[in-house]
């Protein structure tokens, strides 16, 4: 469904890395009827790619092959096989990092990915050209726009804000009270382990409570919101 035929406002979430804390994140999002896109690293699992967040939390990836049911109803997107800085790779390494990631996602979850989030938020024209060749239609950075306006260049898309942004709830109030004449998109991003590490899951609960159940806001995945006329391609 093209949400713009019925709504003027859309809300979407984007979370990176495929961490264990996605389980709690999904529990909350599903409870409030929210939709999210998960950008995952298919070459990392529970015992590989671990690190310590702010000296308080050991971060583990999920074993993605075991998680199709967990992520059901949401979108899976590209984030690289190993979360490398894509701008530092050779052409052959870049192709392998992205193509293998997309192919594994398609195999595990049954739908070919059309979106991604740039690891570390970095990219260049070479990276974008390779993504275009692979059929990726949108790609997200990490610079907050603090805006709901549609963006013309979806390969250099920037989110409204991170979930820990000091302006999050002011932006939510602004979004709720707006009566736009053109389509508006509230795009939130982050990592689920950040909620656990900072012990502020209540922040997500409060945000969802504010925006859930509204008949004037469409809640969709990144693909549904950014590419409203594009049907998913299954394997």
């Amino acid at each position: 469904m093209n949400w713009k035929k019925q709504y003027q406002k859309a809300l979407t979430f984007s979370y990176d890395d495929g961490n264990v804390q996605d389980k709690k994140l999904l529990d909350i999002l599903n409870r409030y009827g929210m939709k999210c896109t998960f950008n995952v690293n298919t070459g990392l699992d529970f015992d590989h790619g671990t690190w310590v967040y702010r000296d308080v939390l050991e971060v583990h990836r999920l074993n993605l092959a075991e998680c199709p049911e967990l992520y059901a109803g949401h979108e899976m997107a590209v984030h690289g096989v190993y979360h490398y800085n894509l701008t530092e790779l050779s052409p052959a390494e870049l192709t392998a990092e992205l193509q293998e990631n997309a192919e594994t996602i398609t195999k595990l979850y049954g739908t070919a990915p059309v979106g991604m989030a740039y690891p570390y938020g970095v990219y260049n024209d070479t990276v974008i050209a390779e993504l275009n060749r692979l059929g990726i239609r949108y790609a997200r950075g990490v610079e907050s726009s603090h805006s709901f306006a549609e963006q013309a260049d979806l390969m250099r898309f920037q989110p409204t804000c991170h979930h820990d942004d000091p302006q999050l709830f002011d932006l939510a109030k602004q979004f709720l009270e707006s009566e736009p004449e053109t389509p508006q998109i509230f795009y939130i991003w982050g990592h689920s382990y950040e909620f656990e590490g900072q012990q502020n899951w209540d922040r997500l609960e409060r945000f969802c409570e504010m925006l859930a159940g509204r008949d004037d806001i469409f809640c969709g995945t990144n693909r549904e919101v950014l590419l409203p006329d594009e049907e998913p391609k299954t394997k």
Side-chain angles (χ1 to χ4, degrees):
M1 182 194 77
N2 186 329
W3 62 274
K4 298 178 186 178
K5 295 179 179 179
Q6 184 177 344
Y7 303 87
Q8 286 289 77
K9 294 188 280 188
L11 171 65
T12 190
F13 293 83
S14 178
Y15 278 81
D16 297 351
D17 297 352
N19 301 118
V20 170
Q21 288 76 25
D22 282 1
K23 294 179 180 180
K24 184 167 183 176
L25 175 68
L26 280 159
D27 178 67
I28 295 172
L29 294 177
N30 290 339
R31 184 156 25 97
Y32 286 97
M34 301 299 184
K35 294 292 184 178
C36 185
T37 293
F38 291 90
N39 311 285
V40 296
N41 305 118
T42 49
L44 302 174
D45 58 29
F46 188 86
D47 294 317
H48 299 88
T50 61
W51 60 285
V52 177
Y53 175 66
R54 295 192 174 184
D55 298 322
V56 297
L57 178 70
E58 188 172 78
V59 178
H60 291 275
R61 260 77 168 185
L62 287 164
N63 296 320
L64 293 172
E66 303 171 358
C67 298
E69 291 186 7
L70 175 69
Y71 290 110
H74 300 270
E75 178 188 10
M76 308 306 289
V78 171
H79 201 43
V81 176
Y82 297 110
H83 204 283
Y84 293 145
N85 180 331
L86 301 177
T87 66
E88 297 176 348
L89 303 181
S90 70
E93 290 170 338
L94 177 62
T95 295
E97 177 73 358
L98 296 174
Q99 184 169 306
E100 182 182 331
N101 191 209
E103 290 175 349
T104 302
I105 289 170
T106 304
K107 179 181 179 181
L108 293 178
Y109 294 94
T111 301
V114 294
M116 79 162 297
Y118 294 112
Y120 311 107
V122 297
Y123 55 91
N124 56 25
D125 290 344
T126 299
V127 172
I128 291 175
E130 181 63 15
L131 290 172
N132 287 332
R133 190 187 71 81
L134 294 172
I136 300 301
R137 300 286 307 284
Y138 76 84
R140 191 210 81 220
V142 298
E143 297 179 12
S144 296
S145 68
H146 294 140
S147 171
F148 310 125
E150 292 190 285
Q151 298 177 36
D153 189 350
L154 294 184
M155 299 306 292
R156 296 174 176 82
F157 187 87
Q158 300 300 336
T160 305
C161 68
H162 186 277
H163 68 245
D164 268 336
D165 193 298
Q167 298 185 43
L168 176 67
F169 293 105
D170 288 338
L171 286 164
K173 185 174 185 292
Q174 178 185 337
F175 190 67
L176 287 170
E177 295 176 351
S178 67
E179 297 182 1
E181 296 182 357
T182 57
Q184 304 285 286
I185 297 170
F186 198 162
Y187 188 116
I188 306 298
W189 82 282
H191 306 86
S192 58
Y193 62 77
E194 293 165 332
F195 289 114
E196 187 72 21
Q198 299 188 55
Q199 290 296 294
N200 64 353
W201 286 102
D202 60 307
R203 186 175 181 83
L204 178 62
E205 293 265 8
R206 179 184 166 196
F207 181 83
C208 289
E209 286 174 358
M210 288 181 69
L211 282 88
R214 303 272 305 196
D215 59 11
D216 62 336
I217 298 175
F218 173 74
C219 296
T221 65
N222 291 187
R223 181 191 63 78
E224 291 169 335
V225 171
L226 299 179
L227 304 170
D229 290 315
E230 182 157 328
E231 293 295 324
K233 296 178 181 179
T234 56
K235 64 179 179 181

